[in-house]
Amino acid sequence: MSDEIWKRDEVQSPCIQICVVHPEARICTGCYRSIDEITRWSKMSNDERAELLEALPDRAKELTKRRGGRSARLKRS
């Protein structure tokens, strides 16, 4: 019996099991991929996956835009 663990030779999914699609940005708040990207992941080449992974950190900023907090709520009232 071998102690080696079999591993795939491919770029692994960025999924972190928090699958909630942001209503405005239309991307998953867990991994920052679009629904289309999540659906196509298994059919993407390693190059496509690596390119997508490089773009994901910039998408996080789209979900953390401040809306103005209490001050903005008071102005809307």
Side-chain angles (χ1 to χ4, degrees), residues 31-69:
C31 68
Y32 306 121
R33 293 179 294 169
S34 69
I35 297 299
D36 180 56
E37 291 164 340
I38 293 168
T39 302
R40 291 184 318 106
W41 184 263
S42 63
K43 294 174 178 63
M44 288 182 177
S45 69
N46 273 342
D47 290 340
E48 289 174 305
R49 290 177 179 185
E51 188 176 311
L52 177 58
L53 286 179
E54 287 181 27
L56 296 181
D58 290 335
R59 295 182 183 182
K61 299 171 193 164
E62 294 179 35
L63 303 182
T64 57
K65 290 180 184 173
R66 290 187 51 88
R67 296 181 301 198

